[in-house]
Amino acid sequence: MGEEVKLIATHQSFPCARIEWALRIKGVEYEYLKEDLTNKSPLLLQSNPVHKKVPVFLHNHKAIAESLVILEYIDETWKNNPLLPLDPYQRAHARFWARFIDEKCLYGVWGAAVAEGEEKEKAVEGALESLKFLEKEIEGKKYFGGEKIGYLDIAAGWLSHWLSVLEELGEMELLNAERFPSLHQWTQNFIQTSPIKDCIPSRQSVIEYFSFGINYTRSLASNKSS
């Protein structure tokens, strides 16, 4: 019997896309279990009882949660087409920037999209400041991983598609060719490459996905201030 490889996910979620990209780069066959986040399945709640969110990776009945953790598990389990560099320093470097992308860039962009009124300008400035660091990191490279897509490219992959939706919904402009030429070119290189382009959700589905989150977050902020 073959290995059990399953992914509990939703197509609009970029953390879930990260896992699909990695599995396809590795050539690993998997079963996609589509999750309804408005009515979470017993399997999701059982597999990720702490956070109760996607993605969850199931390998031979073992559950792994959190997209960056899953990426490293996949890379260590299937050795072909390595995602992380072999050099220990370069591996640590990639992990540092992946955390920076999630903890600074992502939260900064989300905060700017959600912010309104006087807080908007300050939030946008903070998001731009984080993106400046990524611009310097990618400068002179095709991909963060060199000539091939790697771990850090996958971590930053949401910038290639999901960011523009947040820009639209947040009525702001962050990433363009004039402001961040190297990062902008990287987004084009990344999203046009197989298997990346094969796992990109429709723009409209991402708009609906983020619209709900933005409206919900704004309503919470409004209730606190009232």
Side-chain angles (χ1 to χ4, degrees), residues 48-138:
N48 189 5
V50 176
H51 297 300
K52 302 178 178 64
K53 64 180 183 179
V54 293
V56 175
F57 185 66
L58 300 174
H59 183 215
N60 295 333
H61 305 291
K62 296 177 292 187
I64 303 99
E66 299 298 313
S67 63
L68 295 181
V69 176
I70 297 171
L71 287 180
E72 293 207 38
Y73 179 86
I74 290 172
D75 203 33
E76 292 172 1
T77 303
W78 291 276
K79 303 295 185 181
N80 62 304
N81 300 327
L83 302 176
L84 277 161
L86 298 179
D87 178 75
Y89 171 77
Q90 292 180 357
R91 290 170 72 90
H93 188 78
R95 291 185 179 111
F96 169 85
W97 283 108
R99 290 188 63 181
F100 177 84
I101 287 167
D102 275 9
E103 296 174 6
K104 295 294 184 181
C105 297
L106 175 58
Y107 281 109
V109 170
W110 178 258
V114 170
E116 296 179 290
E118 297 178 356
E119 296 297 319
K120 187 75 171 184
E121 183 176 353
K122 182 179 178 181
V124 168
E125 288 178 0
L128 289 172
E129 191 64 29
S130 294
L131 292 175
K132 286 179 183 178
F133 287 104
L134 286 188
E135 171 71 12
K136 292 179 181 178
E137 183 63 21
I138 192 61

Side-chain angles (χ1 to χ4, degrees), residues 17-35:
R18 287 173 171 172
I19 311 310
E20 286 206 271
W21 292 333
L23 290 170
R24 292 187 180 215
I25 288 171
K26 295 281 189 178
V28 178
E29 294 185 5
Y30 61 98
E31 181 181 352
Y32 188 96
L33 304 177
K34 184 178 180 180
E35 184 66 30

